[in-house]
Amino acid sequence: MDTPSLGHFYAIGVGPGDPELLTLRALRLLKQARVIAHAGPRPREGRAFAIVESHLRDEQETRVVLTEAMSVVSGSEWRPHYRPAVDAIAADCRAGRDVAFITEGDPTVFSTAAYVWLLLSESHPEIPIEVIPGVTSVTAAAARVAWPLALRDQPFAVVPAHYHAEQLRGLIAQFPTVCLLKPKEALPKLVEALAEYGAEREAVYLENVGTSSEWITRNPEEAVGRDAYFSLVLVRTADGTKQTGGKVAVVGIGPGDVRLLTYRAQEVLRGVEAVVGYDAYLQALAPLGLRAEMRGSPIGKESERAHEALTLAQQGKRVALVSSGDAGVYGMASLLLETAADNPPIEVDVIPGVTAATAAAALLGAPLGHDFACISLSDLLTPWETIETRLDAAGRGDFVLAFYNPISQRRTWQLPRAREILLRHRRPETPVGLVDRAYRPGARVWMTTLSDLTTEGVGMETLLIVGNSQTRVIDGRMVTPRGYTPTTAPERTSSSVPAGRRIMEESFAIIDRELGDIDLPPWAFAVARRMIHASADFDFARLLRYSADFEEAIRAAFRAKATIVTDVEMVRQGIAPTLARLPGMTVGCHLNDPEASALAQATGITRSAAGIRLAARRHAKPLLVVGNAPTALDEALRLIEQEDWRPTALIAMPVGFVGVVEAKERLLTQTRVPYLTCSGRKGGSGVAAAAVNALAAV
């Protein structure tokens, strides 16, 4: 009969509590062993077994080494307590079975495993023994708070505090870093000793490191009275040159479903000591079972949260400041970095997340397949005038648009106004997708068209995506093709797009290409483009001149529905169709008024000048448009300078060879009335009307 080969005894360190800290060698040997032994006193229970349980096989046998509490084992008479279990282990090994004894931390550091293999080697020297190192609670704790245990030639001490309570002061004085294990009974004396050193020493108390019941405080006095077996205290010299370990990570947590949290975000959240954020965001993270302290606050406290995160980091803590979606998109990243600039240096990481726009797009189909822009419709932090400028520019540029913050209880008019602006550039049937509470309970997804878009069902948590000229609905999904090609562009014929509009769009596209980059604000670019369209003269882009206050004045004029007065009928007729679409706006021209003819004959001025003089008598603050005669501009300037006439704004595009340049130069030097003009001899009624029509659209 063959004698079986001897099995091996492995003393395996399984780390402080986190199964991810098991070494690869430990895992391999655990899986191959026939018998799993642990301290006890009850089988298949305890910290060490909980760490490895998920890796064990059903057929593996389990043994306990002690059936009584460790506290009854005498320090000097320990062999009798362990001998029965050691003899059983030897029997297993002689039967050819490998035995793995699992122990928390490392087997060589204050471990029951050492008693077992020492007695095994004494009593059964033929049994092969191998010790597998593990991560100690000391190094795990130091890593958890980012404290180096020793640098260069520094010594450090690891001390079982219960046995050396009276020596604590001396140990703290002698060693730059001291680790005190099982400090429960010694904590009061430690607190006294630390008080004597004041700011010269700092300490951190940790219990159950790497488990769901982990608890950490940098004030050991808070730990007095706690009854945690797996606990320790790190004490070190505070010499002013140390690295505090404090750090803030701004973490994008996605739209709300933790399954959409990135691996990196989860890794960071599991590695911090405190998580700061809006209450609802912290509730969304509850399924993760984070060990960190959760510090929530209500909506509207964004600035306070940024300061709180930095304050905690300055205390040496690793902190996560959470933000919905992506922290860099309408999130906390910019606010934190701005706040950090005014505080002592703190390391800041920004961890990306799934932003609301892409989350909503996925639920709608593929509406962001081409160039797109994100615009927040909230005017709490951005002036509405700026938002309107961006809406018009994005609409004119044919961007797909993602609207954040479209509406709230007190903001209900912005979305209808945005729709109105976009209808200047988009077909009424342009698809619009809406997603409310994406990837959260109660989520809702629906589609409509730009012409039918209303505020019904829309709230602060709704994300809207407005398609571009190419976007269409395919099998119930909103799709924007990746390119403008004949095979992907929707058919645009005379039956779907009026010929005049199609020609204008094509003309504008040609103008935009040939103009290239030009340094004009959006509203002025729109004016220049219309003037070029009316004249085929690209010089107007460089000749355009306007006062610094013109944009504000022209917007105010249209808001107030100011009366428009023109110098000639051709300008009036050129803008009348546009004004017909703006309720309350009126336009008049006094050139052919009999009173103007009589005034011209009586005073020897031109009829154009007489019409302007008559306008000054009848309209105190009109929007004045001069598109032909330089004499009309001269008369307007005389009335402004000498008779305190104050038009809301003056658009002056006279054309010709006599007096034109001089009249425009005179306009450019006055500061009483906001103006828009073009330098030189060029101008004309068509150009003036084009400028007004562009401004009406803006």
Side-chain angles (χ1 to χ4, degrees), residues 358-573:
T358 54
L363 293 172
L364 289 166
L368 304 181
H370 207 283
D371 297 342
F372 67 93
C374 297
I375 296 179
S376 170
L377 295 186
S378 172
D379 57 355
L380 294 176
L381 300 175
T382 306
W384 181 252
E385 290 78 6
T386 301
I387 296 173
E388 282 207 5
T389 299
R390 292 170 180 171
L391 285 168
D392 185 74
R396 178 163 44 84
D398 202 29
F399 286 90
V400 175
L401 280 168
F403 287 158
Y404 285 69
N405 308 315
I407 203 167
S408 70
Q409 290 182 341
R410 290 182 289 183
R411 292 188 301 101
T412 59
W413 59 269
Q414 284 90 339
L415 180 58
R417 175 59 179 155
R419 168 186 170 275
E420 178 185 334
I421 293 170
L422 289 181
L423 280 171
R424 299 171 185 164
H425 308 284
R426 305 281 163 91
R427 294 173 289 118
E429 61 270 25
T430 299
V432 177
L434 302 96
V435 178
D436 191 59
R437 296 181 59 81
Y439 294 98
R440 283 170 286 165
R444 182 180 174 221
V445 181
W446 72 105
M447 281 187 278
T448 184
T449 64
L450 190 56
S451 63
D452 293 334
L453 176 63
T454 69
T455 59
E456 184 178 356
V458 180
M460 275 293 289
E461 295 181 296
T462 307
L463 195 292
L464 282 81
I465 297 182
V466 181
N468 68 6
S469 64
Q470 310 292 292
T471 305
R472 58 192 188 273
V473 177
I474 302 175
D475 295 330
R477 312 296 294 277
M478 189 173 171
V479 178
T480 300
R482 292 184 62 188
Y484 288 74
T485 68
T487 57
T488 60
E491 186 177 1
R492 294 168 63 90
T493 65
S494 58
S495 62
S496 61
V497 180
R501 176 173 173 177
R502 187 171 67 254
I503 292 171
M504 176 176 284
E505 289 178 354
E506 292 175 1
S507 298
F508 281 174
I510 293 170
I511 293 169
D512 290 352
R513 284 198 302 270
E514 294 194 18
L515 265 181
D517 293 333
I518 184 168
D519 187 18
L520 286 174
W523 70 267
F525 178 88
V527 170
R529 184 169 64 170
R530 283 272 192 150
M531 292 169 67
I532 295 167
H533 181 254
S535 63
D537 189 342
F538 281 82
D539 282 349
F540 282 115
R542 64 176 180 81
L543 297 176
L544 198 65
R545 300 289 185 271
Y546 49 87
S547 60
D549 54 354
F550 178 78
E551 180 185 3
E552 180 180 350
I554 198 66
R555 292 184 185 277
F558 278 100
R559 282 197 297 267
K561 303 187 184 304
T563 297
I564 298 178
V565 173
T566 68
D567 65 330
V568 292
E569 280 292 325
M570 188 176 293
V571 178
R572 185 189 69 80
Q573 293 173 5

Side-chain angles (χ1 to χ4, degrees), residues 557-564 578-580 582-587 623 696:
F558 278 100
R559 282 197 297 267
K561 303 187 184 304
T563 297
I564 298 178
T578 296
L579 296 187
L582 300 177
M585 295 290 291
T586 59
V587 58
L623 172 54

Side-chain angles (χ1 to χ4, degrees), residues 16-21 140 144 207-216 266-275 285-286 288-294 318:
D18 186 346
E20 292 187 358
L21 294 180
R144 185 70 178 86
E207 64 184 47
N208 298 314
V209 172
T211 72
S212 59
S213 57
E214 178 181 278
W215 190 79
I216 302 173
Q266 290 196 46
E267 185 180 52
V268 170
L269 289 171
R270 295 187 189 282
V272 299
E273 298 164 76
V275 179
L285 296 175
L288 296 179
L290 299 177
R291 300 189 300 266
E293 178 186 4
M294 310 301 278
R318 293 195 302 279

Side-chain angles (χ1 to χ4, degrees), residues 83 86-87 90 94 117-126:
R83 191 170 300 281
V86 167
D87 289 342
R94 289 194 183 95
W117 90 64
L118 288 173
L119 185 55
L120 183 64
S121 65
E122 288 178 7
S123 306
H124 308 279
E126 75 280 9

Side-chain angles (χ1 to χ4, degrees), residues 183-307:
K184 176 184 172 183
E185 288 81 4
L187 275 174
K189 291 187 178 295
L190 174 63
V191 170
E192 292 177 8
L194 290 173
E196 293 179 9
Y197 283 100
E200 295 179 8
R201 296 291 188 279
E202 59 179 336
V204 58
Y205 170 95
L206 307 95
E207 64 184 47
N208 298 314
V209 172
T211 72
S212 59
S213 57
E214 178 181 278
W215 190 79
I216 302 173
T217 178
R218 294 176 187 270
N219 179 8
E221 190 172 2
E222 294 178 353
V224 174
R226 294 182 69 87
D227 188 19
Y229 179 79
F230 293 101
S231 61
L232 58 83
V233 179
L234 294 173
V235 182
R236 68 176 180 179
T237 303
D239 60 5
T241 63
K242 65 182 187 306
Q243 300 265 338
T244 66
K247 180 177 181 179
V248 180
V250 199
V251 181
I253 63 171
D257 187 335
V258 293
R259 292 174 298 177
L260 294 180
L261 202 63
T262 67
Y263 179 83
R264 175 62 177 147
Q266 290 196 46
E267 185 180 52
V268 170
L269 289 171
R270 295 187 189 282
V272 299
E273 298 164 76
V275 179
V276 179
Y278 171 41
D279 291 321
Y281 300 161
L282 300 190
Q283 292 169 12
L285 296 175
L288 296 179
L290 299 177
R291 300 189 300 266
E293 178 186 4
M294 310 301 278
R295 303 175 71 104
S297 55
I299 195 168
K301 299 293 184 179
E302 289 79 11
S303 180
E304 289 84 347
R305 284 194 280 275
H307 281 286

